[in-house]
Amino acid sequence: GAVVSQHPSRVICKSGTSVKIECRSLDFQATTMFWYRQFPKQSLMLMATSNEGSKATYEQGVEKDKFLINHASLTLSTLTVTSAHPEDSSFYICSARNPIAGVEDTQYFGPGTRLTVL
Amino acid sequence: QKEVEQDPGPLSVPEGAIVSLNCTYSNSAFQYFMWYRQYSRKGPELLMYTYSSGNKEDGRFTAQVDKSSKYISLFIRDSQPSDSATYLCAMAYTNTGNQFYFGTGTSLTVIP
């Protein structure tokens, strides 16, 4: 249990285009999902916390209008990188909270999406 | 000062060795401690989850938490080449699944 998927796993796009990344909890309902960014040889940097049915909470320094997050259902959250630029190239990872009773209430991570902006 | 400190390594050990990975932290309010394993270009995978102080064992892995010293460890016995990965420690104030504080990760290579 507690499987999280991401799609696509890799995307290459031109500068100025928008890219949508999907995060799905496959076998549980996730009231809260998280979006992280990870640069090479660095740790995870939390970008935003997404609660189903409400607006995402962004970390300081993360542009809300650039990184649009939608958490429309208990199993799906999307991150859209709008007008992507080369500096947005990174590894984007989502995680989902699994609060099922009897299971450790912690975050389970997706496999990540590697974004390359040319 | 960072909330969580972790030596980035890299750490190289021969197959079969015992590996010790460590993190220190500054905030005594942390109560939940996790270790994740991350293979290259993959998402982190939960290895161990512990609450408060003490030891927890799962197969070849043992997690230790010493809250008095603000120090946590992950031991890997009989290390295998497949253990080669980056190991991230993470901490949280509560178990609500909200904000985690991550270490920078330690890169481990187990040499056959």
Side-chain angles (χ1 to χ4, degrees):
Chain A
V3 179
V4 178
S5 71
Q6 269 183 254
H7 177 80
S9 59
R10 178 175 293 189
V11 59
I12 300 172
C13 68
K14 292 182 179 179
S15 185
T17 60
S18 293
V19 174
K20 179 186 282 189
I21 302 170
E22 292 186 349
C23 177
R24 293 182 186 272
S25 56
L26 297 185
D27 52 0
F28 64 98
Q29 293 186 325
T31 51
T32 306
M33 289 185 172
F34 306 84
W35 286 96
Y36 294 84
R37 182 163 55 182
Q38 186 178 35
F39 292 106
K41 299 188 185 293
Q42 294 188 25
S43 190
L44 302 166
M45 185 190 80
L46 180 65
M47 299 174 67
T49 302
S50 167
N51 290 296
E52 186 264 338
S54 62
K55 290 184 179 180
T57 302
Y58 290 80
E59 295 300 302
Q60 194 172 11
V62 178
E63 299 176 58
K64 303 178 185 181
D65 296 330
K66 181 164 188 63
F67 298 100
L68 300 178
I69 292 172
N70 183 280
H71 192 159
S73 77
L74 286 172
T75 59
L76 173 64
S77 176
T78 60
L79 167 68
T80 302
V81 183
T82 62
S83 186
H85 288 93
E87 58 266 28
D88 298 323
S89 298
S90 187
F91 193 50
Y92 291 86
I93 308 175
C94 72
S95 70
R97 176 189 164 203
N98 183 1
I100 297 173
V103 175
E104 290 151 344
D105 184 3
T106 186
Q107 295 181 33
Y108 293 87
F109 287 84
T113 297
R114 181 155 305 279
L115 170 64
T116 303
V117 185
L118 303 175
Chain B
Q1 183 186 10
K2 288 183 183 178
E3 296 267 11
V4 181
E5 298 276 0
Q6 184 176 10
D7 186 341
L11 182 63
S12 290
V13 300
E15 184 175 354
I18 296 175
V19 176
S20 173
L21 304 166
N22 312 292
C23 287
T24 59
Y25 60 96
S26 56
N27 195 327
S28 58
F30 287 131
Q31 296 190 73
Y32 295 86
F33 305 91
M34 283 70 63
W35 285 96
Y36 287 86
R37 177 174 61 196
Q38 186 177 23
Y39 292 111
S40 180
R41 299 176 182 269
K42 299 290 185 184
E45 169 195 9
L46 179 67
L47 276 180
M48 301 289 280
Y49 175 100
T50 54
Y51 168 70
S52 195
S53 285
N55 294 358
K56 184 174 182 179
E57 189 173 320
D58 184 0
R60 296 184 295 111
F61 299 90
T62 300
Q64 283 186 353
V65 176
D66 182 348
K67 290 191 74 179
S68 62
S69 302
K70 300 193 186 71
Y71 188 89
I72 69 170
S73 300
L74 177 71
F75 297 97
I76 307 174
R77 289 184 298 282
D78 187 25
S79 55
Q80 303 294 310
S82 58
D83 295 329
S84 299
T86 295
Y87 289 81
L88 296 154
C89 63
M91 306 178 187
Y93 296 120
T94 71
N95 69 340
T96 61
N98 287 323
Q99 186 171 2
F100 280 13
Y101 294 82
F102 283 93
T104 51
T106 299
S107 175
L108 171 67
T109 300
V110 180
I111 304 167

